[in-house]
Amino acid sequence: MKELEELNLPEDLVYTKDHEWARLEGEVVVVGISDYAQDQLGDIVFVELPEVGDSFEAGDEFGTLESVKAVSELYLPIGGEITAVNEELDDAPELINQDPYDGWIVKIKPNDPGDLDKLLDRNGYMGILKGDE
Amino acid sequence: MKKTPLYQWHTKNNANMSEFGSYLMPLWYPQGVKKEHCGVIESAGIFDTSHMAAVILEGGGCRDLLQKTFTKDLDHCLGPKKNPLHSGRCVYGIFLKESGQTLDDAIVYHVAGDRYMVVVNAGMGAALCTHLKKYQENLDVTITDLTDDLGKIDIQGPSSATILAEILEQPDQAFTKFVYFSFKGWFETDATESVMLKDGTPILLSRTGYTGEFGFEIFLRPDSLVDVWQMLLERGGDSIVPCGLAARDSLRAGAVLPLSHQDIGDWPFLNNPWIFALPFDEQGIFTKEFIGSEALQNNPSAPHTYAFAGFSPRKIPIGANSSVLDTAGNHLGDILTCTTDMAIERLGDNIISMASSRQDGKPENFKPKGLSCGFVKVKHEIPVGERVILTDGKHKVEVEIRKDVRPARSARKPLIEMMKK
């Protein structure tokens, strides 16, 4: 298991207490799970993705990740409509383990991009992880 | 929480640690469980299994006590002719309670003369001793619990023998006439027939394991454990991978081997894939009486346990709301084990393993996604091939009741063939 200081938590992302990350790219928000989450889960063997066009509120479950250890729900960091899913994960779910930031899961058109400001920055997320320990 | 002598090694090598049977054990190492699982199928893996317990029985009454308490009939158990257990051989069986429920599963080793070794699961040494003493009466048996006084490393996978040969003092001698479920040597220096490592460590080398793959269990003094573990890793190089409990669990589930207190437990040991552990004769009648036998003979309502395999890696977490349904949605029973065998995939009607041959239909560049597998316990009989639904109340996964799961397993292959791997 990685020590907290070994975790790769990029500064330019925002995070949730459920261990998702989000990044604004133009008009869409890219969503994945953090290095901490992939390390805790172990090898991911299956990703259940939503359909493009599905709409969700912030905090809604939008899919599941199955690792060797557990089945975990994925929660959307902000509300919006799914504009793309990472179909590469169907054949290679291990991409999330290899690089959880390159191995994105969905892209969404946010209802309000301003909602991103309500999420945690790197320090805020790190504080949650320290509290988890 | 207890620790094995390899605890420091596990944490230094960044293992993901977890509690198992009151021991802190590695779940997997940084390379990940898929590499560990597939490493055992393709080359070799080593497992720290020092959390398991061994009990030594000595004295003229040993065999009688085991005949009374162990499900295997030690006088009719070896090979197709059901020959008696003799020194150098070991057998798998169950210690049952009088109710016919499982106390634990075990391997009984006939060491020599009036000396036997019984290997049970983590934390079960004391419980087995209590159980044996309860039925000892006036039998001449000295019972010694070696819990935490014995180390064990399992080396499993087709390359096990070639790697082990590198650290054995006399590998040719050790590997002669070494059939599945036999063993050689002793872990003390006072042994008459010894198996030694090059550094002088005496070991008990057993051709057994819990993965369904070819390999050995190495019993040794706990103070030699770390050195031998490191020697195996050095000699094995790229062909060996340290494995944690998660890979052990997925390998054994694909091999249709039970996890004690999960797949066998507080219900009658009947109607399951492991009833070969019971002493049936050709007519299906027990060849001996033993603790629990009466309860098993009068149990028409005992549940049925089946192996299953899914159609994808998808699995259902076991919890308060998990259950087994028929395809119409009616409740059938409970999920006992649900994991993913990462070395297999379905091609048409068949399951193909990384270890399958071209003739078996394995395609070129076969990269399996894995299949969920495990065991279900249901109220009524279900025919092999029938589909059932596993659910946690939220997700549903369809699986097939199977006789077997992972094909092309290597456990029973002749040692001479495996020396070329």
Side-chain angles (χ1 to χ4, degrees), chain B residues 9 60 78 90 121 232 298 302 304:
Chain B
W9 192 94
L78 293 184
C90 50
N121 290 279
L232 285 168
N298 298 299
H304 295 254

mmCIF file of all heavy atoms in Angstrom, chain B residues 9 60 78 90 121 232 298 302 304:
data_model
loop_
_atom_site.group_PDB
_atom_site.id
_atom_site.type_symbol
_atom_site.label_atom_id
_atom_site.label_comp_id
_atom_site.label_asym_id
_atom_site.label_seq_id
_atom_site.Cartn_x
_atom_site.Cartn_y
_atom_site.Cartn_z
ATOM 1 N N TRP B 9 9.146 -8.156 5.942
ATOM 2 C CA TRP B 9 9.405 -8.244 4.499
ATOM 3 C C TRP B 9 8.184 -7.748 3.721
ATOM 4 O O TRP B 9 8.313 -6.975 2.775
ATOM 5 C CB TRP B 9 9.751 -9.687 4.104
ATOM 6 C CG TRP B 9 10.312 -9.766 2.707
ATOM 7 C CD1 TRP B 9 11.625 -9.761 2.348
ATOM 8 C CD2 TRP B 9 9.562 -9.841 1.483
ATOM 9 N NE1 TRP B 9 11.733 -9.806 0.977
ATOM 10 C CE2 TRP B 9 10.495 -9.854 0.419
ATOM 11 C CE3 TRP B 9 8.196 -9.873 1.164
ATOM 12 C CZ2 TRP B 9 10.112 -9.924 -0.933
ATOM 13 C CZ3 TRP B 9 7.808 -9.927 -0.175
ATOM 14 C CH2 TRP B 9 8.758 -9.959 -1.202
ATOM 15 N N GLY B 60 1.012 -44.711 20.247
ATOM 16 C CA GLY B 60 0.386 -45.894 19.648
ATOM 17 C C GLY B 60 -1.084 -45.709 19.290
ATOM 18 O O GLY B 60 -1.627 -46.465 18.491
ATOM 19 N N LEU B 78 -5.644 -44.371 -0.419
ATOM 20 C CA LEU B 78 -4.653 -43.970 -1.434
ATOM 21 C C LEU B 78 -4.907 -44.615 -2.786
ATOM 22 O O LEU B 78 -4.984 -45.832 -2.896
ATOM 23 C CB LEU B 78 -3.233 -44.338 -0.980
ATOM 24 C CG LEU B 78 -2.658 -43.601 0.224
ATOM 25 C CD1 LEU B 78 -1.212 -44.041 0.459
ATOM 26 C CD2 LEU B 78 -2.723 -42.092 0.071
ATOM 27 N N CYS B 90 0.168 -38.195 2.396
ATOM 28 C CA CYS B 90 -0.767 -37.356 3.136
ATOM 29 C C CYS B 90 -2.115 -37.348 2.424
ATOM 30 O O CYS B 90 -2.179 -37.624 1.219
ATOM 31 C CB CYS B 90 -0.221 -35.941 3.284
ATOM 32 S SG CYS B 90 0.356 -35.170 1.765
ATOM 33 N N ASN B 121 -6.265 -24.771 9.367
ATOM 34 C CA ASN B 121 -6.263 -23.367 8.965
ATOM 35 C C ASN B 121 -5.820 -22.433 10.087
ATOM 36 O O ASN B 121 -5.703 -22.840 11.243
ATOM 37 C CB ASN B 121 -7.657 -22.988 8.457
ATOM 38 C CG ASN B 121 -7.951 -23.645 7.128
ATOM 39 O OD1 ASN B 121 -7.520 -23.181 6.085
ATOM 40 N ND2 ASN B 121 -8.652 -24.777 7.160
ATOM 41 N N LEU B 232 14.470 -18.120 -2.600
ATOM 42 C CA LEU B 232 13.562 -18.525 -3.685
ATOM 43 C C LEU B 232 13.345 -17.379 -4.667
ATOM 44 O O LEU B 232 13.358 -17.579 -5.880
ATOM 45 C CB LEU B 232 12.220 -18.992 -3.113
ATOM 46 C CG LEU B 232 12.229 -20.370 -2.452
ATOM 47 C CD1 LEU B 232 10.947 -20.599 -1.661
ATOM 48 C CD2 LEU B 232 12.399 -21.480 -3.492
ATOM 49 N N ASN B 298 -28.241 -39.116 8.296
ATOM 50 C CA ASN B 298 -29.659 -38.831 8.524
ATOM 51 C C ASN B 298 -29.956 -37.369 8.277
ATOM 52 O O ASN B 298 -30.357 -36.650 9.164
ATOM 53 C CB ASN B 298 -30.021 -39.183 9.979
ATOM 54 C CG ASN B 298 -29.805 -40.653 10.238
ATOM 55 O OD1 ASN B 298 -30.431 -41.497 9.599
ATOM 56 N ND2 ASN B 298 -28.888 -40.965 11.140
ATOM 57 N N ALA B 302 -30.217 -31.424 4.143
ATOM 58 C CA ALA B 302 -28.956 -30.672 4.090
ATOM 59 C C ALA B 302 -28.886 -29.848 2.800
ATOM 60 O O ALA B 302 -29.317 -30.311 1.740
ATOM 61 C CB ALA B 302 -27.772 -31.632 4.151
ATOM 62 N N HIS B 304 -27.341 -27.846 -0.557
ATOM 63 C CA HIS B 304 -26.442 -28.260 -1.637
ATOM 64 C C HIS B 304 -25.480 -27.124 -1.973
ATOM 65 O O HIS B 304 -25.901 -25.973 -2.082
ATOM 66 C CB HIS B 304 -27.253 -28.623 -2.890
ATOM 67 C CG HIS B 304 -28.126 -29.819 -2.693
ATOM 68 N ND1 HIS B 304 -27.839 -31.050 -3.236
ATOM 69 C CD2 HIS B 304 -29.269 -29.977 -1.972
ATOM 70 C CE1 HIS B 304 -28.770 -31.915 -2.884
ATOM 71 N NE2 HIS B 304 -29.666 -31.292 -2.117
#
